[in-house]
Amino acid sequence: MAGHDDRAEVVLEDGRVLAASAAVVATGVTALAAEDVAWAEAGEARWPAPLWRAAADDLAGRRVAVLGADRPLGTWLRAHPQAKVHFDVLFPEAVQYKTDEIADDPRIRLDLIDRVTVAPVREGFRITARHSRGGPHTFVADTVLGNPGSKPATVSGLVVGADGYCPPDGQHPRVFVAGDLKGARMQRIAVAMGDGSRAALEPYYQAEAVVG
């Protein structure tokens, strides 16, 4: 990705170069990988499957440990209002603000932690949660699911901020960043759709202003 005085260019994986008067980048975010999550360790256990893939029927009557309190948790609970599940949600302080929308759901127990480790045992998984305000807390879960959050899906050539996201006002004038790639907050489908439309219209209006 590169911006020039008269064009924007995008280099594809096969080496082809696409050029246009402007480029809108809306690559969004991608799920955090195990190596990105410093506060959770799976050890001998596999990094857990993502929560959003879980079927409600498969979790009915089971005690489920959810690593992370990212937005898909609220989406899953709203999509399955009758699901008979019990979620122990373990999350770090950095994402505590995301728990407001699900704090009153009786099917979950929120556990603010500093670090959590998962170890396979005969009964399922032993979860050890460590807290700065007290000693470790250990329990056994039938299932462990991952919901640690996301990271920006940046592309080469974009200006990246200290938080890993790509601020729109830091890019070349012919490169427009839209949607979740802009920042960690306001990540909603409706917001991203509207922002994508805005970014697509900006080059058009700029061109009209030049012609006028």
Side-chain angles (χ1 to χ4, degrees), residues 20-126:
S21 60
V24 175
V25 186
T27 47
V29 295
T30 186
L32 291 173
E35 58 269 21
D36 299 318
V37 186
W39 53 268
E41 181 181 353
E44 297 178 6
R46 268 185 164 184
W47 184 250
L51 166 69
W52 61 267
R53 288 185 182 174
D57 290 345
D58 294 341
L59 303 180
R62 303 175 68 84
R63 184 172 187 179
V64 181
V66 178
L67 305 185
D70 200 39
R71 302 294 189 194
L73 175 60
T75 302
W76 195 98
L77 292 168
R78 289 190 295 273
H80 305 93
Q82 305 303 321
K84 294 179 171 58
V85 295
H86 176 83
F87 289 167
D88 285 282
V89 183
L90 303 107
F91 61 96
E93 186 175 7
V95 296
Q96 186 172 10
Y97 71 94
K98 295 183 178 181
T99 64
D100 292 343
E101 63 184 48
I102 44 89
D104 295 331
D105 194 309
R107 297 171 294 174
I108 67 170
R109 184 180 71 86
L110 295 173
D111 193 357
L112 177 61
I113 55 93
D114 293 315
R115 186 169 180 81
V116 61
T117 57
V118 180
V121 293
R122 185 175 59 183
E123 302 87 351
F125 298 91
R126 184 175 66 251

Side-chain angles (χ1 to χ4, degrees), residues 2 12-13 24 43 47 58 80-81 128 135 143 150 175 194 203:
L12 303 182
E13 190 174 13
V24 175
W47 184 250
D58 294 341
H80 305 93
T128 303
T143 303
S150 56
V175 177

Side-chain angles (χ1 to χ4, degrees), residues 121-165:
V121 293
R122 185 175 59 183
E123 302 87 351
F125 298 91
R126 184 175 66 251
I127 312 298
T128 303
R130 293 175 173 81
H131 315 80
S132 58
R133 61 189 181 281
H137 167 62
T138 301
F139 64 94
V140 174
D142 301 306
T143 303
V144 181
L145 296 172
N147 185 46
S150 56
K151 59 183 177 181
T154 60
V155 296
S156 177
L158 292 177
V159 175
V160 180
D163 60 355
Y165 288 88

